[in-house]
Amino acid sequence: MATSTMSIDWEDFSQLCSKYEFGKFTEPTQKAIERQTDIMLNLFDETNCKATFFILGKLAAYKPKLVKLIAARGHEIALHGQNHVAMFTLTPEQAKDDIATSQKIVTDIIGAPVYGYRAPFFSIKNENLYLLQSLTELGLTYDSSIFPMELPRYGIPKFPTNDALYILPNGKKIVELPMTIGHFLNKPIPVCGGGYFRLFPGFLLNKIFKCISTQQKDSMIYMHPYEFDSKAIDVSANYPSTATYSKSKVLALNFKWNLFRPSITGKLKSLLQQYNFNTCYEKAELIIQKNDAVPIPILTK
């Protein structure tokens, strides 16, 4: 029987805007992340959905009470790394340290172990598949970082689209839960994330996920907190008072981040009401119980 999984890459828009515009993290002083998290938790309660929250360590350090609240509401806590950097830009040692740092922060906050990881920007690619071994060395059970198609910034084309238990070169095993790929006009399309939920009309999303369910394929949905915000995003609010910036750039960015965003919650709610969702860890446990491990595929373009 196919299973659906709801996941959240729990990060703060203002923190990341500051990082990528000005090269450093800032403390999230706005109330946005509290408001967004509250909206998500209430939606999941309403639809009886338990989700996996991939927690960014840098945000968790500033908002430990929110991490505890998410766990207390019955959702799985997993890792999104520490500094939200593409893993393929780091050395193996730096990448492992980034994950380990976030693991220490998050497990100290919730007082319990975590079992899974998702790389920022889905940045486990062919050239750094060795990171899966690092995850097992840190005691993690599963990964959910691979987009099994070629996209501008990430992806491993021809990587298996099914969830699977893999044997790694170090002899350890890990479950990979890849991102969901749909098909339209016989061509593969990414359908599982917030950006795609914004752009695709609701009837098309329902049709695609119905097709995935009919074919008994597992599905994975991922979202970000800002996508649930009831208020419009204004990137200029994240700029330091001393910063200079182009008004046209601000208008363009605000248009980009707000385009069709208010439609997301309704589209997602429709899917949450139609299908049963479980957590990534629950899915990984099913994979371990029902599937024999196979060697991890090393693919070339």
PDB file of all heavy atoms in Angstrom, residues 278-297:
ATOM      1  N   ASN A 278       1.857   9.912   6.905  1.00  0.00           N
ATOM      2  CA  ASN A 278       2.652   9.520   8.058  1.00  0.00           C
ATOM      3  C   ASN A 278       3.963  10.289   8.055  1.00  0.00           C
ATOM      4  O   ASN A 278       4.215  11.111   7.180  1.00  0.00           O
ATOM      5  CB  ASN A 278       2.888   8.005   8.094  1.00  0.00           C
ATOM      6  CG  ASN A 278       3.603   7.486   6.852  1.00  0.00           C
ATOM      7  OD1 ASN A 278       4.091   8.254   6.022  1.00  0.00           O
ATOM      8  ND2 ASN A 278       3.669   6.178   6.720  1.00  0.00           N
ATOM      9  N   THR A 279       4.794  10.035   9.049  1.00  0.00           N
ATOM     10  CA  THR A 279       6.070  10.746   9.158  1.00  0.00           C
ATOM     11  C   THR A 279       7.148  10.018   8.361  1.00  0.00           C
ATOM     12  O   THR A 279       7.001   8.845   7.982  1.00  0.00           O
ATOM     13  CB  THR A 279       6.517  10.853  10.613  1.00  0.00           C
ATOM     14  OG1 THR A 279       6.805   9.528  11.105  1.00  0.00           O
ATOM     15  CG2 THR A 279       5.440  11.509  11.473  1.00  0.00           C
ATOM     16  N   CYS A 280       8.233  10.703   8.139  1.00  0.00           N
ATOM     17  CA  CYS A 280       9.357  10.080   7.425  1.00  0.00           C
ATOM     18  C   CYS A 280       9.909   8.884   8.188  1.00  0.00           C
ATOM     19  O   CYS A 280      10.265   7.860   7.589  1.00  0.00           O
ATOM     20  CB  CYS A 280      10.461  11.112   7.193  1.00  0.00           C
ATOM     21  SG  CYS A 280      10.068  12.376   5.967  1.00  0.00           S
ATOM     22  N   TYR A 281       9.988   9.005   9.509  1.00  0.00           N
ATOM     23  CA  TYR A 281      10.529   7.895  10.292  1.00  0.00           C
ATOM     24  C   TYR A 281       9.617   6.673  10.203  1.00  0.00           C
ATOM     25  O   TYR A 281      10.093   5.532  10.077  1.00  0.00           O
ATOM     26  CB  TYR A 281      10.720   8.297  11.744  1.00  0.00           C
ATOM     27  CG  TYR A 281      11.307   7.189  12.594  1.00  0.00           C
ATOM     28  CD1 TYR A 281      12.599   6.719  12.357  1.00  0.00           C
ATOM     29  CD2 TYR A 281      10.572   6.593  13.615  1.00  0.00           C
ATOM     30  CE1 TYR A 281      13.143   5.689  13.118  1.00  0.00           C
ATOM     31  CE2 TYR A 281      11.106   5.574  14.386  1.00  0.00           C
ATOM     32  CZ  TYR A 281      12.388   5.120  14.125  1.00  0.00           C
ATOM     33  OH  TYR A 281      12.922   4.098  14.878  1.00  0.00           O
ATOM     34  N   GLU A 282       8.293   6.899  10.262  1.00  0.00           N
ATOM     35  CA  GLU A 282       7.352   5.787  10.117  1.00  0.00           C
ATOM     36  C   GLU A 282       7.513   5.120   8.761  1.00  0.00           C
ATOM     37  O   GLU A 282       7.497   3.889   8.647  1.00  0.00           O
ATOM     38  CB  GLU A 282       5.920   6.290  10.300  1.00  0.00           C
ATOM     39  CG  GLU A 282       5.586   6.686  11.737  1.00  0.00           C
ATOM     40  CD  GLU A 282       4.245   7.378  11.850  1.00  0.00           C
ATOM     41  OE1 GLU A 282       3.816   8.025  10.856  1.00  0.00           O
ATOM     42  OE2 GLU A 282       3.631   7.295  12.928  1.00  0.00           O
ATOM     43  N   LYS A 283       7.681   5.928   7.730  1.00  0.00           N
ATOM     44  CA  LYS A 283       7.875   5.369   6.396  1.00  0.00           C
ATOM     45  C   LYS A 283       9.194   4.599   6.323  1.00  0.00           C
ATOM     46  O   LYS A 283       9.250   3.508   5.748  1.00  0.00           O
ATOM     47  CB  LYS A 283       7.853   6.467   5.336  1.00  0.00           C
ATOM     48  CG  LYS A 283       8.050   5.948   3.914  1.00  0.00           C
ATOM     49  CD  LYS A 283       8.035   7.064   2.882  1.00  0.00           C
ATOM     50  CE  LYS A 283       6.620   7.471   2.542  1.00  0.00           C
ATOM     51  NZ  LYS A 283       6.581   8.385   1.356  1.00  0.00           N
ATOM     52  N   ALA A 284      10.251   5.169   6.902  1.00  0.00           N
ATOM     53  CA  ALA A 284      11.554   4.491   6.886  1.00  0.00           C
ATOM     54  C   ALA A 284      11.483   3.141   7.590  1.00  0.00           C
ATOM     55  O   ALA A 284      12.075   2.154   7.125  1.00  0.00           O
ATOM     56  CB  ALA A 284      12.612   5.380   7.537  1.00  0.00           C
ATOM     57  N   GLU A 285      10.768   3.081   8.697  1.00  0.00           N
ATOM     58  CA  GLU A 285      10.614   1.821   9.429  1.00  0.00           C
ATOM     59  C   GLU A 285       9.904   0.776   8.566  1.00  0.00           C
ATOM     60  O   GLU A 285      10.273  -0.405   8.578  1.00  0.00           O
ATOM     61  CB  GLU A 285       9.836   2.063  10.716  1.00  0.00           C
ATOM     62  CG  GLU A 285      10.649   2.765  11.804  1.00  0.00           C
ATOM     63  CD  GLU A 285      11.694   1.850  12.406  1.00  0.00           C
ATOM     64  OE1 GLU A 285      11.336   1.032  13.277  1.00  0.00           O
ATOM     65  OE2 GLU A 285      12.876   1.947  12.016  1.00  0.00           O
ATOM     66  N   LEU A 286       8.892   1.196   7.817  1.00  0.00           N
ATOM     67  CA  LEU A 286       8.203   0.270   6.928  1.00  0.00           C
ATOM     68  C   LEU A 286       9.139  -0.251   5.843  1.00  0.00           C
ATOM     69  O   LEU A 286       9.110  -1.437   5.498  1.00  0.00           O
ATOM     70  CB  LEU A 286       6.996   0.967   6.287  1.00  0.00           C
ATOM     71  CG  LEU A 286       5.808   1.270   7.205  1.00  0.00           C
ATOM     72  CD1 LEU A 286       4.772   2.100   6.452  1.00  0.00           C
ATOM     73  CD2 LEU A 286       5.177  -0.016   7.729  1.00  0.00           C
ATOM     74  N   ILE A 287       9.960   0.643   5.317  1.00  0.00           N
ATOM     75  CA  ILE A 287      10.916   0.244   4.275  1.00  0.00           C
ATOM     76  C   ILE A 287      11.903  -0.784   4.817  1.00  0.00           C
ATOM     77  O   ILE A 287      12.228  -1.788   4.163  1.00  0.00           O
ATOM     78  CB  ILE A 287      11.671   1.467   3.728  1.00  0.00           C
ATOM     79  CG1 ILE A 287      10.701   2.446   3.051  1.00  0.00           C
ATOM     80  CG2 ILE A 287      12.763   1.055   2.752  1.00  0.00           C
ATOM     81  CD1 ILE A 287       9.973   1.888   1.866  1.00  0.00           C
ATOM     82  N   ILE A 288      12.390  -0.553   6.020  1.00  0.00           N
ATOM     83  CA  ILE A 288      13.360  -1.469   6.634  1.00  0.00           C
ATOM     84  C   ILE A 288      12.732  -2.844   6.858  1.00  0.00           C
ATOM     85  O   ILE A 288      13.363  -3.886   6.641  1.00  0.00           O
ATOM     86  CB  ILE A 288      13.885  -0.881   7.956  1.00  0.00           C
ATOM     87  CG1 ILE A 288      14.751   0.357   7.669  1.00  0.00           C
ATOM     88  CG2 ILE A 288      14.676  -1.913   8.740  1.00  0.00           C
ATOM     89  CD1 ILE A 288      15.130   1.143   8.904  1.00  0.00           C
ATOM     90  N   GLN A 289      11.472  -2.860   7.290  1.00  0.00           N
ATOM     91  CA  GLN A 289      10.789  -4.126   7.588  1.00  0.00           C
ATOM     92  C   GLN A 289      10.454  -4.921   6.330  1.00  0.00           C
ATOM     93  O   GLN A 289      10.484  -6.155   6.343  1.00  0.00           O
ATOM     94  CB  GLN A 289       9.510  -3.841   8.368  1.00  0.00           C
ATOM     95  CG  GLN A 289       9.719  -3.282   9.757  1.00  0.00           C
ATOM     96  CD  GLN A 289       8.429  -2.780  10.383  1.00  0.00           C
ATOM     97  OE1 GLN A 289       7.326  -3.052   9.896  1.00  0.00           O
ATOM     98  NE2 GLN A 289       8.548  -2.033  11.469  1.00  0.00           N
ATOM     99  N   LYS A 290      10.145  -4.224   5.227  1.00  0.00           N
ATOM    100  CA  LYS A 290       9.586  -4.901   4.061  1.00  0.00           C
ATOM    101  C   LYS A 290      10.546  -5.068   2.891  1.00  0.00           C
ATOM    102  O   LYS A 290      10.228  -5.769   1.932  1.00  0.00           O
ATOM    103  CB  LYS A 290       8.356  -4.124   3.570  1.00  0.00           C
ATOM    104  CG  LYS A 290       7.214  -4.096   4.568  1.00  0.00           C
ATOM    105  CD  LYS A 290       6.021  -3.351   3.985  1.00  0.00           C
ATOM    106  CE  LYS A 290       4.852  -3.336   4.961  1.00  0.00           C
ATOM    107  NZ  LYS A 290       3.671  -2.619   4.398  1.00  0.00           N
ATOM    108  N   ASN A 291      11.693  -4.455   2.953  1.00  0.00           N
ATOM    109  CA  ASN A 291      12.558  -4.451   1.784  1.00  0.00           C
ATOM    110  C   ASN A 291      13.967  -4.947   2.100  1.00  0.00           C
ATOM    111  O   ASN A 291      14.529  -4.630   3.157  1.00  0.00           O
ATOM    112  CB  ASN A 291      12.662  -3.035   1.200  1.00  0.00           C
ATOM    113  CG  ASN A 291      11.344  -2.563   0.615  1.00  0.00           C
ATOM    114  OD1 ASN A 291      11.078  -2.740  -0.553  1.00  0.00           O
ATOM    115  ND2 ASN A 291      10.505  -1.960   1.457  1.00  0.00           N
ATOM    116  N   ASP A 292      14.514  -5.711   1.161  1.00  0.00           N
ATOM    117  CA  ASP A 292      15.907  -6.101   1.262  1.00  0.00           C
ATOM    118  C   ASP A 292      16.787  -4.931   0.824  1.00  0.00           C
ATOM    119  O   ASP A 292      16.429  -4.165  -0.069  1.00  0.00           O
ATOM    120  CB  ASP A 292      16.187  -7.318   0.368  1.00  0.00           C
ATOM    121  CG  ASP A 292      15.455  -8.550   0.853  1.00  0.00           C
ATOM    122  OD1 ASP A 292      15.247  -8.676   2.060  1.00  0.00           O
ATOM    123  OD2 ASP A 292      15.074  -9.376  -0.007  1.00  0.00           O
ATOM    124  N   ALA A 293      17.939  -4.798   1.459  1.00  0.00           N
ATOM    125  CA  ALA A 293      18.850  -3.733   1.100  1.00  0.00           C
ATOM    126  C   ALA A 293      19.544  -4.034  -0.218  1.00  0.00           C
ATOM    127  O   ALA A 293      19.878  -5.181  -0.519  1.00  0.00           O
ATOM    128  CB  ALA A 293      19.889  -3.538   2.204  1.00  0.00           C
ATOM    129  N   VAL A 294      19.743  -2.975  -1.004  1.00  0.00           N
ATOM    130  CA  VAL A 294      20.455  -3.091  -2.281  1.00  0.00           C
ATOM    131  C   VAL A 294      21.597  -2.074  -2.294  1.00  0.00           C
ATOM    132  O   VAL A 294      21.545  -1.055  -1.587  1.00  0.00           O
ATOM    133  CB  VAL A 294      19.508  -2.852  -3.477  1.00  0.00           C
ATOM    134  CG1 VAL A 294      18.421  -3.908  -3.519  1.00  0.00           C
ATOM    135  CG2 VAL A 294      18.899  -1.458  -3.407  1.00  0.00           C
ATOM    136  N   PRO A 295      22.627  -2.314  -3.081  1.00  0.00           N
ATOM    137  CA  PRO A 295      23.732  -1.341  -3.142  1.00  0.00           C
ATOM    138  C   PRO A 295      23.251   0.016  -3.649  1.00  0.00           C
ATOM    139  O   PRO A 295      22.404   0.098  -4.538  1.00  0.00           O
ATOM    140  CB  PRO A 295      24.719  -1.985  -4.136  1.00  0.00           C
ATOM    141  CG  PRO A 295      24.379  -3.423  -4.092  1.00  0.00           C
ATOM    142  CD  PRO A 295      22.905  -3.519  -3.883  1.00  0.00           C
ATOM    143  N   ILE A 296      23.796   1.075  -3.092  1.00  0.00           N
ATOM    144  CA  ILE A 296      23.439   2.415  -3.532  1.00  0.00           C
ATOM    145  C   ILE A 296      23.867   2.610  -4.979  1.00  0.00           C
ATOM    146  O   ILE A 296      25.002   2.292  -5.340  1.00  0.00           O
ATOM    147  CB  ILE A 296      24.102   3.495  -2.619  1.00  0.00           C
ATOM    148  CG1 ILE A 296      23.573   4.901  -2.948  1.00  0.00           C
ATOM    149  CG2 ILE A 296      25.602   3.421  -2.681  1.00  0.00           C
ATOM    150  CD1 ILE A 296      22.215   5.196  -2.426  1.00  0.00           C
ATOM    151  N   PRO A 297      22.994   3.102  -5.850  1.00  0.00           N
ATOM    152  CA  PRO A 297      23.388   3.290  -7.260  1.00  0.00           C
ATOM    153  C   PRO A 297      24.286   4.503  -7.409  1.00  0.00           C
ATOM    154  O   PRO A 297      24.009   5.582  -6.881  1.00  0.00           O
ATOM    155  CB  PRO A 297      22.051   3.501  -7.974  1.00  0.00           C
ATOM    156  CG  PRO A 297      21.124   4.036  -6.937  1.00  0.00           C
ATOM    157  CD  PRO A 297      21.575   3.429  -5.630  1.00  0.00           C
TER     158      PRO A 297
END
